[in-house]
Amino acid sequence: METTKPESWNTPSEPKGENKKVVAGVLGILLGGFGIHKFILGYTQEGIIQIVITLVTCGIGSLIGFIEGIIYLTKSDEEFYQTYQVGKKGWF
C-alpha cells in the first residue's frame, strides 16, 4: 500500500493570527475621532476615551486617531501584530 505525502504548496500554513493593520490604519485616518480603530483592535475602553476626548475638544481630539492611523500603516506587518495585537499597546 502506497502512502501519499501532502504537497507543500497545498498544505495550509499555521496562521499567526489575523492582522488588522490596514483596516485599523484606514479607519484611524478617516474616523479616528470616533475611536473605531480602537474598537477594531479590541480596545473598548480606549475607544470610549477617544470618543470623549473628541467631544470635549470639539473635534480637535480626532487628530489623535489620525496620527495613530498613520503610525499603524507605517509599521511592518510583524511589528504591528506584535505591538498592538499581541502586546496590547493601547495608545500610540
Side-chain angles (χ1 to χ4, degrees):
M1 184 169 188
E2 185 179 322
T3 60
T4 57
K5 184 175 153 185
E7 298 171 353
S8 63
W9 64 270
N10 200 20
T11 306
S13 62
E14 289 291 321
K16 66 177 181 180
E18 183 181 354
N19 194 336
K20 301 174 182 179
K21 176 180 129 175
V22 174
V23 173
V26 171
L27 288 175
I29 291 171
L30 298 177
L31 301 171
F34 299 111
I36 304 296
H37 61 293
K38 299 286 189 187
F39 293 111
I40 291 291
L41 294 173
Y43 302 139
T44 305
Q45 181 178 356
E46 288 86 349
I48 293 170
I49 292 170
Q50 180 67 52
I51 293 170
V52 171
I53 290 172
T54 300
L55 291 175
V56 169
T57 63
C58 298
I60 296 172
S62 63
L63 287 175
I64 294 171
F66 181 79
I67 292 168
E68 283 184 328
I70 292 171
I71 290 171
Y72 292 170
L73 292 175
T74 57
K75 290 189 177 287
S76 69
D77 289 346
E78 184 62 31
E79 186 179 12
F80 177 85
Y81 179 76
Q82 290 298 325
T83 304
Y84 298 106
Q85 292 184 254
V86 174
K88 297 288 186 187
K89 182 178 177 186
W91 295 98
F92 295 101

